[in-house]
Amino acid sequence: MIIKDLNQFSLNSEENKEAIANLSKNLFPSRKEEIWKYTPFKKFKKINFHNQENFKIKGLDTLNLPNLDGIVIVFENGRYNSKLSRIVETDEIDISFSSDIFPSNNFQTIKKNNYFTSLNSSFLTNSVLVNVNSNTKISKNLNFINIVSSDNCLSNTKFSIVLNDNSNINLRQYFLGNSSISNGFINHENNIYLNSSSSLSIDKFQDLNNNFNFCNEFITQKNDSKFIMNTFSCSGIIVRNDIISDVNGENCHTELNGVFSPTKNEHIDNHTTINHLVPNCKSFENYKGVLKENGVGVFNGKVIVHQDAQKIEAFQKNNNILIDQDSIIYSKPELEIYADDVKCSHGSTTGQFDDEALFYLRSRGLSIKKSLQLMTLGFINEVIQKTSNLEYVDFVLKRLLKE
Amino acid sequence: MSDTLIEIKDLKCRIDNQNILQGLNLKINKGEVHAIMGPNGSGKSTLSSVLAGNDNYEITKGSITFLGEDITEMSPEERSWKGMFLAFQYPVEIPGVSNINFLRTALNERNKYFGIDSIPAKDFLKMVAEKSMLVGLDNKLKNRSVNEGFSGGEKKRNEIFQMAMLNPKLAILDETDSGLDIDALKIVANGVNKLKSSENATVVITHYQRLLDYIVPDFVHVLHEGKIIKTGDKSLALELEKKGYDWLKTDTAI
Amino acid sequence: MSYTEKELKKELDNKSYEFGFVTDIESDKAPIGLNEDIVKLISSKKKEPQWLLNYRLKAFQIWKTMKEPDWAHVKYTKPDFQNISYYSAPKKKKELQSLDEVDPELLKTMEKLGISIEEQKKLSGVAVDFVMDSVSVATSFKDKLGELGIVFCSFSEAVQNHPELIKKYMGTVVPYTDNYYAALNSAVFSDGSFCYIPKGVRCPMELSTYFRINESGTGQFERTLLIADESSYVSYLEGCTAPSRDENQLHAAVVELIALDKAEIKYSTVQNWYPGDKNGKGGVYNFVTKRGICGYRSKISWTQVETGSAVTWKYPSCILKGDYSIGEFYSVAVTNNFQQADTGTKMIHIGKNTKSTIISKGISAGKSQNSYRGLVKIGKGAKNSRNFSQCDSLLMTDQCGAHTYPYIECENPTATVEHEATTSKIGEEQLFYCMQRGISEEKAISLIVNGYAKEVLNKLPMEFAVEAQKLLEISLEGSVG
């Protein structure tokens, strides 16, 4: 394994100033634009972002993350933190760091840039590229931890991964905001490329507390590949995920799942687009929203079946539970179908827990709080059980249920 | 300490402005089995719901004293901790929550209330194995979501299994016999009988005498228009089977 | 419905637009173009009071500042608003006392439409208001309705005879600031229908309006205002046709429904504007704003069968303001050849315990694009509100598109919202089964499609259900690729 170009990046201070000016001058995309309609940009107002190097995390163990026995890559305040990271050399995987954006010829067929991807590219501090060699199966998880630990710190980071033919890996991504700080902002981009017969599953965990996190994610799949992404969004002032997946090879399996549980005026925004460009593929989407105490959730899922992409099966589901007064959900499952021999469906439900079930649980001795927790667990179980590791499930559940 | 487990005095309640129970009196001692019978709409299921603390019903008068304490205003979970158990006529399905997880949470919540440590996983599983034998509950069902996709008979067995796990002082069986074939009925009744002791009591709410062949009551009460209009021993149930309820209704009219 | 072979043959021979004939009536047409003078001209031709002219002028000012919306999933050449005549009336229009006074050419037109007023009058007892090139030319059954206090007349007549109602309600549901086309309509509307059902009256017959664009180079801008006073009931039907012309004609209508407390309005539309020819040439641009507002315990039900128009942009909506009010939307939209439709509804729940149901069935054939776009909004105060939506799409060829864009905005945790949608191809096994039993492919498709759309068709009044069924069949002819 080679580690190359490991250097520190300093921002051009003039550009930096301009970026900060832009952020506070509200040069954001307008909320009149359909895809930004529900995102509360006003929460960015009056925040002066900076980007200074500042490592504060004392040790990996202070983060209390489950089973970090594989490779661990830690980014703190936008920069690679080599002290906390643990990279073991193997023949199976190459990891390199640079400030360059990932070679574009490999990537997205339909890459869509937006304000935040431009911001990311212009002020990128560190980027990591993982290359998984052909015919390998990595048994231990690859862990990517991206943490903001300074007030008002804006970190622009990029994670790219290429799975070569017939390779297989599980990735865990953590986006964390230190609970003792506020107004930090991780503006992240994931670039993911799956070659033939490769398989990648990502468990993405977002727990930002009083900080922001935007993730723009671009995925390309070649034939016979399998991609699963489970997104668990627990907290953050605004957490927004924009996933664009191009399925560009036949016999692919694409699966996007998620649980989001905003509370206390938090806003969690999930946007997904699955582009079925070729025939004979299947995609599944399942997002569950649990909203309470003024929490606001957005689900906007889009499946596009392009012309001649016949025999596509695409299923999209979004279920939401509003637990108490003033929680809000905006759900927008969309289908755009240009081929006729397809099976596509979507469903969206919003409601509350059944009173009768609540009474049943209470009559068995469960307090209201416990009953609600248990019902919430039941509600999100379908998605949670997609991850097989019990320790990880426990960890995620505790944060999602805010126990 | 007295032998009285529960005492209901002049209980009146309503739902959606409709009066259901209209002055009900009932006293149950430890070690007793009571059967409550009555025509449709007489208030049998309401009584079980009110005893378990369903707040859809508004208690307008009267009191319920359980183990010497007025529980009229008590939450359903606290009643449960103190030893009240209702086997539901229609057990509720809770998708995504496994039976096992559900019961463990229930037991631990009770332990917490009494300041007892959580039950260790090993002991819990041993207990599950033991108690499920009682009603012959299929092992697979224990790991499935609570009541989801269970057949009618499986749901009723699951209720008795839960009863065995929670070991209540007062068990109210609300039409537990409905929808059961004769073999399932025997299994369920057998389970209930095994749980009987001198320290607990059982209330069997039923339409039919049939169940009472297996769970033999000490007292049979007839409920009509929200009141108990007649009390007798098990022979009353047989008489009701033969003559129906009408002869009693005319009695009250006089 | 039973079909005979003869019928089938006739229909197959007659694949082109059935209603694409031109009526040769001398008409009084305003010069092309749009400016303040034209707005004033329209107003003065209609002898309108000053307040109405002011309303038009304000709308015109606003319209000039607005941009034509482009968020819908449709592509078309934007109309040149300066190249349209904004007023065209059949010239010999006088006060018409009876049908005998109607221009015989016009009567012929109605007969061709299959809705001969006389026949309608005799057979079904439907009261018909006939709007041709935006001007109402005949209203039947006026006297009989008058006995019940029901007002059913052209919009211009209503302006003269019931100005207080117009003044009170016009623009309250669809203000002229609402959107581009609504503003345009508010500035230049020429006529339309008006209906008032008094308190407690159950309108004994279906009220019906037929709209037709006849003159070339004109736009049709009619307004419908329907007021159902407390505890009243009315069922209203609207039908639309236009001649086949190579150019694109513009139809930008506004419909406002007001259901006061405990009133019920059932509004059905069979829209069959000229869809353009097989190559996508010509056809009507149908940009319509339809909306109703519900009072306490009232109900508005929209049913639409949309088979026509080159481009459709239409979202009949309900504002459920009163507690316990109900909104319904039942729609079948068929697109074939190069047609494009972006249609759906908005259900805005404001009152407590409000309920809405949306059933949308889209059928795409040829190279058409068919989109469902619908909003369900549960406001903060809309406690215990319920919505159920079901949007299905059926695809007939590999060249067409079917799209679903539901917007669900729930701001009250006691509400329940359910949305389901499916997209699939017409069942090959079903087709084969039918054909094996000796039913031709065309017929089989029509059978299957009718079955698929049944839930919606059933909501139409009897005589229209039959017509709508036929329309579906005609629009899908030759659709299997």
Side-chain angles (χ1 to χ4, degrees):
Chain A
M1 194 185 68
I2 319 144
I3 297 174
K4 52 188 172 190
D5 290 331
L6 180 59
N7 43 28
Q8 297 295 334
F9 298 95
S10 58
L11 280 174
N12 174 325
S13 61
E14 277 308 302
E15 283 180 23
N16 192 12
K17 257 186 208 157
E18 198 186 314
I20 291 161
N22 283 351
L23 283 171
S24 45
K25 252 197 289 170
N26 198 18
L27 283 181
F28 284 112
S30 158
R31 284 189 75 172
K32 282 181 183 157
E33 288 173 55
E34 190 94 25
I35 62 160
W36 300 104
K37 193 171 171 193
Y38 304 112
T39 309
F41 289 124
K42 62 172 190 279
K43 294 191 176 186
F44 277 115
K45 270 193 182 150
K46 291 184 186 153
I47 299 175
N48 281 315
F49 289 105
H50 68 81
N51 188 327
Q52 280 133 25
E53 185 187 337
N54 205 345
F55 288 164
K56 289 184 170 170
I57 308 292
K58 293 281 182 288
L60 208 49
D61 51 337
T62 60
L63 299 176
N64 289 320
L65 303 178
N67 37 32
L68 296 173
D69 47 347
I71 290 170
V72 180
I73 300 167
V74 181
F75 275 37
E76 186 177 351
N77 294 332
R79 284 162 178 89
Y80 175 61
N81 185 331
S82 58
K83 270 192 191 154
L84 296 183
S85 301
R86 191 170 55 226
I87 296 175
V88 202
E89 281 195 35
T90 74
D91 295 334
E92 296 162 330
I93 230 177
D94 295 332
I95 298 175
S96 53
F97 297 87
S98 92
S99 64
D100 297 337
I101 51 168
F102 190 73
S104 55
N105 58 343
N106 253 340
F107 268 94
Q108 211 67 20
T109 331
I110 311 170
K111 182 152 182 172
K112 275 192 188 150
N113 278 312
N114 60 46
Y115 179 83
F116 295 93
T117 57
S118 308
L119 181 73
N120 183 285
S121 300
S122 314
F123 303 110
L124 187 74
T125 39
N126 250 176
S127 139
V128 57
L129 165 61
V130 177
N131 191 59
V132 185
N133 295 330
S134 304
N135 304 312
T136 52
K137 186 177 185 329
I138 315 284
S139 54
K140 282 183 179 164
N141 296 315
L142 172 68
N143 298 283
F144 174 73
I145 301 166
N146 195 337
I147 184 162
V148 60
S149 61
S150 291
D151 287 328
N152 295 21
C153 177
L154 165 64
S155 41
N156 291 296
T157 53
K158 201 170 282 196
F159 181 97
S160 305
I161 184 165
V162 176
L163 278 86
N164 287 301
D165 291 357
N166 201 25
S167 65
N168 187 328
I169 193 168
N170 295 324
L171 170 65
R172 285 202 186 141
Q173 290 193 328
Y174 297 91
F175 295 89
L176 307 171
N178 210 321
S179 60
S180 58
I181 63 143
S182 59
N183 293 335
F185 179 16
I186 303 177
N187 181 30
H188 181 79
E189 187 173 316
N190 270 332
N191 285 301
I192 294 156
Y193 195 89
L194 285 90
N195 276 304
S196 302
S197 307
S198 62
S199 165
L200 171 66
S201 91
I202 304 180
D203 288 319
K204 187 169 99 182
F205 177 80
Q206 295 169 300
D207 197 6
L208 275 299
N209 293 303
N210 273 316
N211 303 286
F212 301 87
N213 180 204
F214 279 42
C215 287
N216 278 283
E217 303 169 87
F218 302 97
I219 299 121
T220 303
Q221 275 183 269
K222 301 305 275 186
N223 60 293
D224 301 285
S225 63
K226 185 176 181 185
F227 177 71
I228 300 176
M229 182 155 189
N230 304 312
T231 303
F232 305 110
S233 314
C234 306
S235 70
I237 303 174
I238 305 178
V239 172
R240 183 176 161 123
N241 299 303
D242 287 82
I243 304 177
I244 300 179
S245 169
D246 287 357
V247 187
N248 207 1
E250 294 198 23
N251 302 314
C252 283
H253 174 107
T254 309
E255 200 175 325
L256 304 175
N257 304 302
V259 180
F260 50 101
S261 62
T263 52
K264 302 189 178 103
N265 293 311
E266 290 171 342
H267 179 99
I268 301 181
D269 211 321
N270 279 297
H271 291 250
T272 66
T273 304
I274 299 178
N275 276 309
H276 281 290
L277 299 158
V278 295
N280 296 313
C281 292
K282 288 183 182 171
S283 69
F284 305 87
E285 254 183 288
N286 193 351
Y287 275 78
K288 307 266 186 190
V290 178
L291 304 109
K292 51 187 170 186
E293 298 169 49
N294 301 305
V296 179
V298 178
F299 171 77
N300 183 357
K302 191 180 225 172
V303 174
I304 305 175
V305 178
H306 292 252
Q307 209 171 5
D308 301 327
Q310 300 291 7
K311 308 255 184 234
I312 295 291
E313 291 182 21
F315 305 98
Q316 195 185 44
K317 194 159 93 168
N318 169 229
N319 307 115
N320 305 294
I321 289 282
L322 299 174
I323 292 192
D324 49 28
Q325 206 61 43
D326 296 326
S327 38
I328 296 175
I329 179 73
Y330 302 106
S331 172
K332 210 181 141 202
E334 301 175 74
L335 295 174
E336 249 179 57
I337 317 282
Y338 299 90
D340 64 333
D341 194 2
V342 297
K343 273 188 207 150
C344 298
S345 71
H346 68 206
S348 164
T349 61
T350 296
Q352 45 290 134
F353 287 129
D354 183 18
D355 277 350
E356 216 184 318
L358 184 65
F359 173 63
Y360 186 73
L361 290 170
R362 293 177 71 193
S363 80
R364 294 292 178 265
L366 275 64
S367 63
I368 293 180
K369 193 182 160 202
K370 204 79 203 169
S371 304
L372 287 175
Q373 265 178 7
L374 204 61
M375 284 194 283
T376 306
L377 171 65
F379 174 68
I380 63 182
N381 195 32
E382 211 177 31
V383 173
I384 293 288
Q385 68 186 4
K386 301 273 177 193
T387 64
S388 51
N389 182 288
L390 280 179
E391 211 181 330
Y392 183 75
V393 167
D394 264 6
F395 165 79
V396 170
L397 273 180
K398 277 214 176 83
R399 284 303 302 148
L400 281 174
L401 300 176
K402 320 255 156 115
E403 270 178 14
Chain B
M1 194 157 166
S2 94
D3 279 347
T4 308
L5 203 53
I6 190 164
E7 187 165 14
I8 304 162
K9 276 189 192 154
D10 195 23
L11 189 66
K12 293 186 180 181
C13 82
R14 63 178 181 193
I15 185 167
D16 299 335
N17 285 324
Q18 196 185 341
N19 294 318
I20 311 280
L21 297 182
Q22 311 192 51
L24 185 135
N25 290 294
L26 182 65
K27 188 174 152 187
I28 296 170
N29 294 321
K30 288 175 185 170
E32 292 174 352
V33 176
H34 290 242
I36 295 176
M37 303 182 76
N40 286 331
S42 58
K44 299 190 300 290
S45 283
T46 299
L47 175 62
S48 65
S49 284
V50 167
L51 289 180
N54 190 335
D55 55 15
N56 284 338
Y57 296 90
E58 186 195 347
I59 294 178
T60 51
K61 201 174 175 226
S63 68
I64 308 166
T65 311
F66 186 52
L67 293 165
E69 189 181 3
D70 188 341
I71 61 162
T72 319
E73 296 289 314
M74 199 178 275
S75 71
E77 57 268 32
E78 206 174 341
R79 294 179 200 213
S80 165
W81 297 331
K82 290 185 185 299
M84 177 96 71
F85 182 90
L86 170 62
F88 283 57
Q89 183 181 0
Y90 303 107
V92 181
E93 297 186 6
I94 307 172
V97 177
S98 78
N99 241 336
I100 291 287
N101 188 5
F102 165 62
L103 271 171
R104 197 168 169 203
T105 314
L107 280 170
N108 283 339
E109 287 279 289
R110 181 166 68 184
N111 283 356
K112 201 165 81 190
Y113 176 74
F114 288 111
I116 305 170
D117 285 344
S118 312
I119 176 165
K122 211 178 112 201
D123 297 359
F124 174 74
L125 289 175
K126 205 175 133 207
M127 190 171 161
V128 166
E130 223 175 86
K131 304 292 182 189
S132 58
M133 295 267 284
L134 206 67
V135 283
L137 195 71
D138 192 324
N139 222 357
K140 273 178 283 173
L141 293 181
K142 286 179 288 193
N143 291 313
R144 289 240 304 267
S145 295
V146 181
N147 293 324
E148 196 185 33
F150 285 29
S151 72
E154 284 166 345
K155 280 184 186 173
K156 294 297 169 75
R157 281 193 214 186
N158 195 23
E159 291 292 285
I160 305 304
F161 166 59
Q162 290 181 23
M163 174 177 156
M165 291 293 290
L166 294 169
N167 191 22
K169 294 205 170 62
L170 179 68
I172 305 155
L173 312 181
D174 189 3
E175 310 238 357
T176 298
D177 50 338
S178 68
L180 291 186
D181 60 36
I182 195 74
D183 293 329
L185 185 76
K186 278 183 193 166
I187 293 168
V188 164
N190 190 30
V192 172
N193 287 331
K194 279 191 183 151
L195 294 169
K196 228 160 58 176
S197 80
S198 59
E199 285 303 304
N200 64 24
T202 310
V203 177
V204 181
I205 292 173
T206 183
H207 253 74
Y208 306 104
Q209 193 291 125
R210 195 176 67 156
L211 179 66
L212 304 180
D213 286 343
Y214 301 97
I215 304 173
V216 183
D218 302 305
F219 302 95
V220 174
H221 310 278
V222 178
L223 194 61
H224 178 57
E225 290 179 350
K227 271 186 203 166
I228 287 173
I229 52 165
K230 192 167 178 68
T231 296
D233 60 11
K234 65 177 176 187
S235 62
L236 177 59
L238 289 164
E239 201 175 348
L240 288 168
E241 182 87 347
K242 263 188 236 140
K243 293 160 80 177
Y245 294 105
D246 287 348
W247 60 284
L248 285 169
K249 288 183 199 169
T250 36
D251 267 11
T252 47
I254 293 165
Chain C
M1 238 187 126
S2 65
Y3 299 91
T4 64
E5 239 176 276
K6 213 175 117 201
E7 262 183 307
L8 185 67
K9 195 164 178 296
K10 204 181 92 198
E11 275 156 7
L12 286 172
D13 287 345
N14 194 13
K15 273 182 195 168
S16 56
Y17 186 65
E18 227 188 311
F19 308 108
F21 50 85
V22 180
T23 305
D24 191 13
I25 299 174
E26 205 186 334
S27 73
D28 177 10
K29 198 165 146 182
I32 59 163
L34 181 55
N35 52 48
E36 248 186 57
D37 291 339
I38 293 286
V39 175
K40 282 179 186 154
L41 174 77
I42 295 168
S43 186
S44 79
K45 280 220 184 250
K46 310 207 71 86
K47 303 188 180 68
E48 284 175 0
Q50 186 63 37
W51 62 265
L52 194 50
L53 174 62
N54 292 345
Y55 182 89
R56 286 175 180 275
L57 289 172
K58 268 190 270 172
F60 180 67
Q61 290 307 329
I62 289 281
W63 177 75
K64 281 199 295 187
T65 68
M66 289 171 134
K67 245 180 62 201
E68 198 167 352
D70 53 8
W71 41 260
H73 194 92
V74 291
K75 283 194 196 99
Y76 61 98
T77 321
K78 300 249 152 82
D80 179 356
F81 292 98
Q82 293 306 335
N83 204 13
I84 294 173
S85 170
Y86 286 85
Y87 184 77
S88 162
K91 207 171 190 175
K92 288 175 186 162
K93 185 183 177 274
K94 287 173 281 179
E95 286 294 304
L96 298 171
Q97 293 308 321
S98 79
L99 288 171
D100 303 339
E101 292 177 39
V102 175
D103 188 321
E105 272 290 321
L106 193 58
L107 282 178
K108 235 186 252 171
T109 303
M110 297 187 204
E111 267 164 43
K112 281 190 213 165
L113 285 170
I115 52 122
S116 136
I117 292 181
E118 302 215 61
E119 205 176 307
Q120 287 279 349
K121 205 170 160 184
K122 275 183 232 144
L123 293 177
S124 55
V126 173
V128 180
D129 184 20
F130 193 93
V131 179
M132 185 149 169
D133 287 344
S134 347
V135 175
S136 179
V137 287
T139 304
S140 52
F141 275 98
K142 202 182 262 180
D143 295 343
K144 196 170 173 201
L145 294 170
E147 284 166 23
L148 291 162
I150 295 172
V151 183
F152 180 42
C153 61
S154 74
F155 201 88
S156 343
E157 270 177 77
V159 169
Q160 305 302 328
N161 302 334
H162 306 278
E164 72 295 339
L165 286 172
I166 300 277
K167 211 169 166 179
K168 185 169 173 193
Y169 289 109
M170 186 176 85
T172 56
V173 193
V174 181
Y176 57 75
T177 50
D178 193 79
N179 68 67
Y180 188 81
Y181 307 114
L184 178 64
N185 176 288
S186 302
V188 302
F189 70 90
S190 29
D191 209 337
S193 285
F194 173 82
C195 176
Y196 173 78
I197 315 289
K199 259 184 208 177
V201 171
R202 242 189 113 77
C203 184
M205 59 184 84
E206 310 278 354
L207 299 185
S208 171
T209 301
Y210 256 88
F211 295 108
R212 177 170 172 79
I213 304 176
N214 195 46
E215 199 62 30
S216 122
T218 56
Q220 173 138 341
F221 305 94
E222 83 276 355
R223 268 190 103 89
T224 301
L225 177 59
L226 203 162
I227 303 150
D229 212 327
E230 288 170 32
S231 304
S232 66
Y233 168 84
V234 63
S235 169
Y236 192 92
L237 307 162
E238 177 194 81
C240 321
T241 56
S244 312
R245 290 194 190 280
D246 285 347
E247 83 244 41
N248 292 109
Q249 288 165 299
L250 177 65
H251 175 243
V254 168
V255 176
E256 294 180 285
L257 308 186
I258 291 137
L260 296 173
D261 293 356
K262 296 181 186 169
E264 182 178 347
I265 301 176
K266 200 169 144 59
Y267 196 102
S268 315
T269 304
V270 176
Q271 188 263 107
N272 184 31
W273 295 118
Y274 178 53
D277 68 10
K278 269 209 143 67
N279 303 311
K281 197 159 188 216
V284 172
Y285 291 162
N286 191 30
F287 302 143
V288 176
T289 309
K290 292 182 167 181
R291 199 175 298 152
I293 188 162
C294 284
Y296 172 74
R297 281 193 197 278
S298 71
K299 178 175 171 182
I300 290 180
S301 180
W302 298 100
T303 306
Q304 59 171 26
V305 175
E306 302 269 319
T307 61
S309 299
V311 180
T312 300
W313 181 98
K314 178 179 163 187
Y315 316 91
S317 308
C318 298
I319 301 172
L320 302 170
K321 197 172 170 209
D323 294 351
Y324 296 96
S325 58
I326 298 173
E328 291 176 341
F329 175 77
Y330 299 97
S331 167
V332 176
V334 183
T335 54
N336 199 352
N337 299 322
F338 285 88
Q339 278 178 275
Q340 304 175 71
D342 195 298
T343 182
T345 183
K346 292 184 201 172
M347 292 291 173
I348 317 281
H349 293 252
I350 298 171
K352 292 187 190 87
N353 299 297
T354 47
K355 226 170 92 180
S356 64
T357 307
I358 299 172
I359 307 287
S360 162
K361 305 275 180 182
I363 300 152
S364 327
K367 294 183 172 173
S368 67
Q369 299 296 332
N370 196 333
S371 305
Y372 166 82
R373 188 182 304 276
L375 168 73
V376 174
K377 186 180 171 92
I378 310 283
K380 280 232 177 295
K383 267 178 94 168
N384 298 322
S385 291
R386 296 274 177 275
N387 161 267
F388 175 77
S389 309
Q390 169 89 46
C391 308
D392 295 326
S393 306
L394 199 59
L395 291 147
M396 313 288 286
T397 70
D398 57 2
Q399 306 275 304
C400 59
H403 319 299
T404 319
Y405 305 101
Y407 299 60
I408 298 149
E409 306 188 353
C410 183
E411 303 185 352
N412 188 300
T414 59
T416 305
V417 184
E418 280 176 85
H419 171 94
E420 284 170 19
T422 61
T423 303
S424 55
K425 193 183 169 175
I426 188 159
E428 267 167 17
E429 279 169 32
Q430 289 173 324
L431 273 180
F432 178 73
Y433 186 82
C434 292
M435 284 154 76
Q436 203 286 321
R437 295 289 181 270
I439 302 163
S440 74
E441 191 176 28
E442 295 271 343
K443 207 70 195 172
I445 287 173
S446 121
L447 271 178
I448 293 167
V449 165
N450 269 312
Y452 166 80
K454 188 132 229 127
E455 218 179 328
V456 174
L457 296 177
N458 280 346
K459 298 284 172 187
L460 286 172
M462 198 45 151
E463 55 273 44
F464 276 71
V466 175
E467 188 186 325
Q469 236 168 342
K470 272 201 170 153
L471 260 181
L472 287 186
E473 197 168 333
I474 293 165
S475 358
L476 284 170
E477 269 168 17
S479 66
V480 174

